[in-house]
Structure formats: structure tokens, C-alpha cells
Amino acid sequence: GVNTSKLNRLEQFINEFPKEGKLMSGEELHAHLDDIEKIHGLYSPIALGFAAALACGCFTFLLGGGLFEMICAFLGAGLGNFVRCKLTKHHFTLFLCIVSSIAVSCLTYAGLLKLAEALFAVSTQHEAGYICAMLFIIPGFPFITSGIDLAKLDMRSGLERLAYAIVIILVATVTAWIMALILNLKPVDFPDLNLGQYSMLISFGGVFGFSIMFNSPVAIATSAAIIGAIANTLRLELVDLVGFPPAAAAFIGSLTAGILASLIKNKVGYPRISITVPSIVIMVPGLYLYRAVYNMGAMSLIVSASWFASAMLIILALPLGLIFARILTDKSFRYCT
């Protein structure tokens, strides 16, 4: 439901309001806002399915998956998000959209894996990638923006977005856990691969896919993808080469994305939030959240708590990075009213 194209138009309206708004009547103002409200999605369900496929395929690589996992996650996520978009278009309830799309993604991944095992004797270790096929459902945008709202003491908006994100994550992870039990899939580790030299290109593709899912025009999606490629590669290198804790690396990556987005905003005038949030959504630890719920369901409570704690530290670090970037680059954000 995120529509950054609408956010872009709304921010332009706000920026122009001091000059043009004072000349409008109340009816004209309402008509103008109604026109913005009616802005529909820029992309069809098929295009959004491909965007999710690209994002999750790249996500799979960044989490350590190989070519086979990427292909299966690509197809699973693409079909899953296509189903979600079609159901959303017909105004089905949120829970039904989540459950149906997750089920389709897991079934697609499991079906492709079984087919590959029968035809090409593919190792069952490739089943680790089924988690990646449903990561398009993780609500990174409301999660991150809720932290920014709370930092501005906009409690109502922040708490509503946080509750919305938590509901989606709970329904999605429980559905994925049930599907894993039905299909006998287990979240094992990926085989070790040395493909780090492609991380910037893959990060670009992942962020671009997520931006298109958020209904960003291609120009905004490309800007977010460039920033995300730089910030996410920096985060990965800090963890792999320097040994930073993942949460600290996420904070630095998010801070970098926020500063770069502010520089681009000053040059081209894109809304800051439509660039910053998509650029760091790829850092949201959906894999950690799923493993926390999976192990909780298996009553491995110590393991579950470890995954959950790691996820929460990263989730807290991401909006903090954007908040401090905003404080450093936006004078008006440093003060409260």
C-alpha cells in the first residue's frame, strides 16, 4: 500500500503552499488534495510481481544463497506478490492477502526444489532459500517510518505504523512456519560462497525492486538504488572485513544512506523519505524474524530469543541512523515545536 509517487506529489504541494496555497479557496484546496489522493499505482500486478522477484532474488544472494536459490526465490516471490497485488486490488482483507501470498511463495519454492531434486539430483540444502521467497512481505517501510515518527514525538502515527508492521510480521512468519511444517522445510544455513565482489550490483537490484514495489517512479527508484548499493555494501563490508556487530553496521549504513539522500534531495528535490526508506529496507532482518518465530514454534526458546534479539537490535538501529542523518543535515529537524 505504500505509494511514494503520491508522497512526492504531496510534498510538492506542501512546499508550494506558502506561495500558491494562500491564493486558493477552501474548495480549491480540497479539490487539489482530492486529486493527489486519487493517484493510482504506476505499475500493474505483473510488474509489481517482477519487482518483488528481483528484490527477493537479490536478497537471497546477499544472505548467502547461490544461483539455484536465487532462481527459486525469484519465481516464488514474483508469484506471491502478484497474488497479493491482485487480492489487494479487489479489496480483500489484509490477513487473507498475507496468508495467500506467503502460501503461494512457499509452495512455488518447494515445488521447484522437488522438481530439481527429481530431475537434476539437487541437494536438499538448497531448501534454505525458501525463506527468501517470502521476504517481500516484510513491512520495512512502516517499521522504519514509525521510528522516525516517534523521534518527532508524533506518537499516534508512530504507534499506529508500528502496530501495523507487527501485525504483518506476526501473520507472515506464523504462516511461513506452518507452511514449513506442511512441506517439511527447515531454515538451514546456506553453503559458503565467495561472491562478495558482486554485492554492490546485487544491492542496487534489490533496492530498485523494493522501490518499484513502493510505486516509485523509475527516476526515484534509481536514485534510491544507487544510495542503497553504497550504504548496504558498506554495511556488509563492515561486518565481513572489520568484524562490526550487525546492528552497529546497520546504523552506519543507515546513517550513510540518510546523508546521501539529503545531498540528492538538495540537488533534484525528491522527497527524502521516498529515497531513504527504500534504500535501507534491504537491511531489515526478515530472515532473523522468521527464524525467531520458527524456533519458538519448535520450542527452541533460547535459539529463538537469540534470533529475536539480533533482529530487534538491527531494527532499532535502522531508524536511528536515518534520524541522526536528518539531525545532521536538516536544521529544522533538530528542534521541537
Side-chain angles (χ1 to χ4, degrees):
V2 177
N3 191 335
T4 55
S5 178
K6 187 182 294 185
L7 289 175
N8 187 22
R9 283 282 303 277
L10 189 59
E11 184 158 314
Q12 289 177 1
F13 170 76
I14 293 170
N15 292 336
E16 295 168 357
F17 186 82
K19 293 182 179 178
E20 299 181 6
K22 63 183 181 181
L23 303 176
M24 297 182 184
S25 66
E27 291 77 8
E28 289 173 332
L29 287 172
H30 281 288
H32 196 78
L33 289 172
D34 288 340
D35 290 338
I36 295 176
E37 178 64 26
K38 293 175 184 176
I39 295 175
H40 55 77
L42 299 175
Y43 308 103
S44 67
I46 294 176
L48 293 173
F50 274 108
L54 174 64
C56 290
C58 293
F59 219 140
T60 305
F61 174 89
L62 295 172
L63 291 172
L67 182 61
F68 181 81
E69 287 91 344
M70 290 177 69
I71 293 172
C72 291
F74 182 94
L75 295 172
L79 287 174
N81 200 46
F82 172 77
V83 169
R84 182 175 68 152
C85 292
K86 293 293 286 185
L87 293 176
T88 301
K89 193 172 182 179
H90 290 87
H91 306 290
F92 282 97
T93 182
L94 175 68
F95 279 39
L96 178 61
C97 294
I98 296 172
V99 172
S100 301
S101 59
I102 293 294
V104 168
S105 297
C106 290
L107 285 170
T108 302
Y109 193 100
L112 291 172
L113 179 61
K114 296 300 181 185
L115 183 64
E117 287 177 2
L119 297 179
F120 307 110
V122 170
S123 170
T124 56
Q125 191 172 12
H126 291 294
E127 72 183 27
Y130 82 93
I131 304 168
C132 304
M134 54 89 172
L135 290 179
F136 64 88
I137 206 74
I138 298 298
F141 209 104
F143 237 143
I144 294 166
T145 51
S146 69
I148 298 173
D149 287 337
L150 293 174
K152 296 187 295 183
L153 300 182
D154 188 356
M155 295 297 179
R156 178 176 177 178
S157 178
L159 292 174
E160 286 178 352
R161 285 176 170 169
L162 181 61
Y164 175 76
I166 290 173
V167 166
I168 293 177
I169 287 175
L170 288 176
V171 175
T173 51
V174 170
T175 303
W177 170 58
I178 294 172
M179 292 301 300
L181 293 178
I182 295 172
L183 300 171
N184 194 29
L185 298 172
K186 296 180 177 61
V188 297
D189 293 328
F190 289 110
D192 290 331
L193 296 172
N194 185 22
L195 299 173
Q197 63 269 30
Y198 302 111
S199 60
M200 182 169 286
L201 177 62
I202 298 297
S203 295
F204 178 93
V207 175
F208 185 84
F210 279 121
S211 296
I212 295 297
M213 284 176 60
F214 298 147
N215 199 45
S216 297
V218 173
I220 293 180
T222 302
S223 300
I226 293 172
I227 292 173
I230 296 170
N232 194 50
T233 302
L234 174 62
R235 176 184 71 92
L236 295 173
E237 295 300 330
L238 287 173
V239 174
D240 294 338
L241 301 181
V242 185
F244 266 47
F251 174 81
I252 294 175
S254 178
L255 178 69
T256 302
I259 292 173
L260 292 176
S262 295
L263 295 176
I264 286 184
K265 173 181 166 47
N266 294 333
K267 295 290 184 181
V268 297
Y270 295 149
R272 183 185 280 103
I273 197 170
S274 66
I275 304 174
T276 53
V277 177
S279 69
I280 66 170
V281 162
I282 202 168
M283 304 180 192
V284 174
L287 174 64
Y288 289 20
L289 292 168
Y290 170 72
R291 286 196 166 188
V293 173
Y294 181 92
N295 284 286
M296 183 182 297
M299 296 308 294
S300 299
L301 300 182
I302 296 177
V303 178
S304 173
S306 177
W307 282 110
F308 184 73
S310 298
M312 290 308 300
L313 286 173
I314 295 173
I315 288 171
L316 291 172
L318 292 175
L320 280 176
L322 292 186
I323 290 165
F324 278 96
R326 188 77 179 269
I327 290 171
L328 292 173
T329 58
D330 185 355
K331 185 181 295 185
S332 63
F333 198 83
R334 300 171 197 167
Y335 302 95
C336 60
T337 57

